[in-house]
Amino acid sequence: MTDQPAKILVIFGTRPEAIKLFTVVAALKQDPRFEPIVCVSAQHRAMLDQVLEIAGIVPDHDLDLMRPNQTLDGLTAALLTELGGVMDRVKPDRVIVQGDTATAMAGALAAYYRKLPVDHVEAGLRSGNIYHPWPEEVNRKIIGGIASLHFAPTTTSEAALLRENVSADRVHVTGNTVIDALHWVLGRIEAQPSLAGGLDELAERFKGKRIIGVTSHRRENFGHGMENIASAIRRIAERPDTAIIFPVHLNPNVRAVMNERLVGLDNVALIEPLDYPHFARLLSMAEIMLTDSGGVQEEAPALGKPVLVMRETTERPEGVVAGTARLVGTDSSRIVSEIFSLLDDKAAYEAMARAHNPFGDGQASRRIVDALAQEVWGA
Ligand code: UD1
Ligand code: UDP
C-alpha cells in the first residue's frame, strides 16, 4: 500500500461505453483514493464526442482511431497497439473496461499482456450464441477470461460468470451503470428542459400521433436484416395515426439502407444521432421503442416503455422476463404485427408498459468504486 491514489486507466471508445462509464469516472474523481485517467480510443468519433460533451469529460488520452467503415481486424489491430502504448506511458495500477466492444476487448488484452489487473463493468452478459450478438459475445468472453473484478449488472449475469468457474468473490452485483446515467440525464433535463429542446419541432409536427422510437445498428443485421427493418417501418408508417422517429446510427451500412428506403415519408423522421438528453426525451415521448440496441433494452424498461427487440437472442433476458421487452427478430411481417398488436390491443400494451428496474437502481457506480476500494485498499 502506498500513500498515492491508485491510478485507474478508464478505457472506452464508443457511445454506449461512454454513457455507461461517465458516472463511474465521476465517482472515481470524487474519491481521493483514486486517480482516474481517461483514455478514449475514439472507435466512434461524433457519437462519442456527443457523450463527452454532455458529461463534461475531457479525455487525458484520445487515440482518434475511427476510420470510415472500419473493419473488425483493422480496428482491433490498431486498438491493441495504441492502447498498449498508452499503458506503457501511463503505468496505471488497474484498467477499467466496459461491455463488449472492440475497444473493451483490446483494452483488456493489452492490459493482460502487461499483467495489469482489468476490472470489467457490465460483466457476465451471455446470449450463448457467438454470432448473436456478433462479435460482442466473444469479446465479452475474452474479457471475462482476463478480468480481475467482474461488475455484473444483475444476478443473471453473476450466475453466468459462476457457471464459467469465475470465483464468487471476484464478482460484484452492482446494477447497470446505464441506469445511473439515465437518472442523471433525466435530472439534468428536468432542471433545464432546453437541453432536449431540439425535439420541440418534431413533437409539434407529430402532435396527436402515436410515436414509435427506432434505433438499429447491429452488425449481424447488416444487409438483409436492415432491409427488412426498413420495409417494416414503411408498412407501419402507412398508418396515419403513427409517427416514427429514427435517429440513424452513423455506420454507413445502416445509413445507406435507411436513406434509400425511408426518405420522403411524411410520418417518418430520419434524424441524426441524438445526444443523450435528446435521446432520453425521445424515450419519454415514445409509446413503443423498436430497437436492436443493447442500451435501449435496458433504458426502456426503467421508463416503463415497451421495447420490441429486433434480434434472435438477447444477452439481456431480464427485460423479457420482466415482461417489458420482447424479442421479435428481423422478419418484417413479425415486426409489423407486433407493433400493430401493441397499438391496437390496450391490454397487450398495458401488460408491457410497466416500469421495472431489472437492470439496476442507479447506484451501480458507487458500488463499483466501493468494491475497487475494498480490492485496492482493503476498505
Ligand atoms: C460499435 C461496437 C458495438 C456497439 C456499437 C454501439 C464493435 C465491434 N462494435 O459498433 O458493439 O454496439 O458500436 O453503437 O466494437 N461511425 C461514424 N461516426 C461515429 C461512429 C461510427 O462515422 O461517431 C461510422 C464509421 O464509418 C465507422 C462505422 O460507423 O467505421 C462503424 O463503427 P464501429 O465502431 O466499427 O462499429 P459500430 O457498428 O458502431
Ligand atoms: N443513444 C443516444 N442517441 C441516439 C441513440 C442512442 O444517446 O441517437 C443512447 C441510448 O440511450 C443508449 C446508447 O446510446 O444509452 C445505446 O447505444 P447503441 O445503441 O449505439 O449501442 P449498444 O447499446 O447497442 O451497444
Side-chain angles (χ1 to χ4, degrees):
M1 212 154 90
T2 76
D3 295 321
Q4 297 299 315
K7 256 194 212 178
I8 312 287
L9 184 65
V10 185
I11 294 176
F12 53 94
T14 65
R15 169 174 69 192
E17 293 166 272
I19 288 174
K20 290 172 171 179
L21 282 176
F22 74 74
T23 56
V24 176
V25 172
L28 285 169
K29 271 196 182 141
Q30 276 170 17
D31 191 322
R33 293 170 295 182
F34 296 107
E35 180 192 353
I37 297 161
V38 172
C39 172
V40 297
S41 68
Q43 170 181 339
H44 283 175
R45 186 70 273 175
M47 286 160 49
L48 171 74
D49 292 345
Q50 283 182 317
V51 187
L52 295 176
E53 192 179 338
I54 184 70
I57 292 182
V58 179
D60 300 287
H61 302 267
D62 186 333
L63 301 176
D64 200 22
L65 286 181
M66 194 198 84
R67 299 291 173 268
N69 210 6
Q70 58 209 2
T71 58
L72 290 176
D73 37 13
L75 171 64
T76 304
L79 283 164
L80 200 52
T81 316
E82 296 290 322
L83 290 170
V86 171
M87 288 173 202
D88 291 339
R89 291 196 296 280
V90 169
K91 301 196 181 352
D93 295 302
R94 306 180 75 82
V95 172
I96 289 184
V97 297
Q98 195 284 335
D100 54 14
T101 66
T103 294
M105 185 274 286
L109 199 53
Y112 168 67
Y113 288 162
R114 287 157 182 79
K115 296 191 177 162
L116 290 169
V118 175
D119 302 313
H120 188 200
V121 175
E122 199 184 71
L125 276 64
R126 297 289 184 273
S127 69
N129 181 335
I130 63 167
Y131 294 106
H132 291 272
W134 174 74
E136 290 79 5
E137 177 82 354
V138 164
N139 285 346
R140 285 185 186 279
K141 287 187 166 194
I142 292 171
I143 302 168
I146 291 172
S148 167
L149 292 178
H150 307 251
F151 299 120
T154 67
T155 51
T156 306
S157 40
E158 176 191 38
L161 291 166
L162 299 183
R163 277 197 301 277
E164 291 174 13
N165 295 326
V166 175
S167 97
D169 64 348
R170 307 312 297 162
V171 184
H172 296 267
V173 179
T174 58
N176 196 309
T177 52
V178 78
I179 306 299
D180 305 24
L182 186 63
H183 286 182
W184 179 87
V185 82
L186 291 172
R188 288 287 310 268
I189 302 171
E190 199 179 312
Q192 196 187 337
S194 63
L195 273 180
L199 281 176
D200 288 351
E201 214 176 296
L202 272 183
E204 189 54 35
R205 173 172 149 203
F206 292 150
K207 208 171 182 170
K209 291 196 190 284
R210 306 175 70 181
I211 292 174
I212 299 165
V214 181
T215 78
S216 177
H217 71 83
R218 300 242 31 93
R219 270 177 198 262
E220 64 270 22
N221 287 343
F222 288 174
H224 201 51
M226 287 294 160
E227 287 158 15
N228 283 347
I229 293 168
S231 313
I233 292 170
R234 282 193 81 91
R235 281 162 62 192
I236 296 162
E238 284 166 15
R239 281 178 68 132
D241 63 337
T242 64
I244 286 125
I245 301 181
F246 186 171
V248 185
H249 194 284
L250 292 177
N251 194 314
N253 298 287
V254 182
R255 292 175 89 80
V257 176
M258 300 309 165
N259 286 334
E260 186 193 316
R261 291 165 191 242
L262 295 176
V263 157
L265 299 174
D266 275 352
N267 51 349
V268 178
L270 287 188
I271 58 176
E272 293 303 312
L274 293 169
D275 68 16
Y276 199 40
H278 284 91
F279 194 78
R281 179 166 174 201
L282 174 59
L283 283 169
S284 309
M285 283 163 70
E287 206 167 309
I288 303 168
M289 291 302 298
L290 177 65
T291 189
D292 61 10
S293 158
V296 179
Q297 281 179 71
E298 294 154 345
E299 293 161 335
L303 298 180
K305 299 292 173 162
V307 56
L308 298 181
V309 182
M310 298 183 287
R311 296 192 187 184
E312 307 304 328
T313 64
T314 180
E315 66 287 7
R316 297 169 165 90
E318 295 87 345
V320 178
V321 171
T324 333
R326 182 170 302 147
L327 287 175
V328 300
T330 53
D331 175 77
S332 41
S333 302
R334 170 96 196 271
I335 294 171
V336 174
S337 71
E338 294 278 1
I339 291 272
F340 283 11
S341 139
L342 286 179
L343 290 173
D344 295 331
D345 181 344
K346 204 161 182 275
Y349 183 84
E350 274 165 12
M352 284 187 84
R354 279 173 295 116
H356 294 281
N357 278 314
F359 296 104
D361 59 0
Q363 298 295 318
S365 303
R366 182 186 54 72
R367 291 191 190 99
I368 287 169
V369 172
D370 287 350
L372 271 171
Q374 186 65 41
E375 177 74 7
V376 178
W377 301 107

